[in-house]
Amino acid sequence: MAKKVSLACATCGSRVYSTTKRDDVATRLELNKFCRRCNAHTVHRESK
Protein backbone atom coordinates (compact mmCIF):
# COMPACT_ATOMS: atom_id res chain seq x y z
CA MET A 1 0.00 0.00 0.00
CA ALA A 2 1.26 3.51 -0.78
CA LYS A 3 0.87 6.59 1.37
CA LYS A 4 0.48 10.19 0.23
CA VAL A 5 3.31 12.62 1.12
CA SER A 6 3.84 16.31 0.42
CA LEU A 7 7.08 17.72 -0.99
CA ALA A 8 8.57 20.96 0.34
CA CYS A 9 11.12 23.12 -1.46
CA ALA A 10 14.54 22.97 0.21
CA THR A 11 15.20 26.66 -0.54
CA CYS A 12 11.98 28.49 0.37
CA GLY A 13 9.92 25.78 2.10
CA SER A 14 6.77 26.08 0.01
CA ARG A 15 4.71 22.90 -0.32
CA VAL A 16 3.46 22.72 -3.90
CA TYR A 17 3.75 19.05 -4.87
CA SER A 18 2.33 15.84 -3.44
CA THR A 19 3.08 12.27 -4.46
CA THR A 20 2.74 8.70 -3.26
CA LYS A 21 5.43 6.64 -1.59
CA ARG A 22 5.68 2.93 -0.83
CA ASP A 23 5.40 1.99 2.84
CA ASP A 24 8.57 -0.15 2.90
CA VAL A 25 10.89 2.79 2.01
CA ALA A 26 12.56 4.14 5.16
CA THR A 27 14.42 7.14 3.72
CA ARG A 28 12.86 10.49 2.89
CA LEU A 29 12.01 11.15 -0.72
CA GLU A 30 13.99 13.82 -2.64
CA LEU A 31 13.02 14.96 -6.14
CA ASN A 32 14.20 17.78 -8.39
CA LYS A 33 11.11 19.85 -9.22
CA PHE A 34 10.28 23.35 -10.43
CA CYS A 35 9.40 25.75 -7.61
CA ARG A 36 7.02 28.52 -8.70
CA ARG A 37 7.97 30.69 -5.76
CA CYS A 38 11.75 30.48 -6.42
CA ASN A 39 11.21 30.40 -10.20
CA ALA A 40 13.90 27.70 -10.53
CA HIS A 41 14.45 23.95 -10.39
CA THR A 42 15.28 23.01 -6.79
CA VAL A 43 15.38 19.92 -4.61
CA HIS A 44 12.02 19.10 -3.01
CA ARG A 45 12.10 16.89 0.08
CA GLU A 46 9.40 14.89 1.77
CA SER A 47 7.91 16.91 4.63
CA LYS A 48 6.01 15.78 7.68
Side-chain angles (χ1 to χ4, degrees):
M1 195 76 189
K3 67 179 187 176
K4 195 169 188 178
V5 294
S6 62
L7 300 174
C9 177
T11 307
C12 66
S14 67
R15 294 183 177 138
V16 179
Y17 295 102
S18 64
T19 187
T20 57
K21 176 181 151 180
R22 292 189 334 231
D23 289 334
D24 61 346
V25 178
T27 58
R28 286 201 173 180
L29 191 62
E30 287 188 1
L31 297 173
N32 197 18
K33 295 278 196 177
F34 182 79
C35 180
R36 294 181 217 139
R37 195 166 165 193
C38 297
N39 199 27
H41 283 85
T42 58
V43 173
H44 284 69
R45 294 188 181 109
E46 176 184 347
S47 61
K48 289 191 173 187

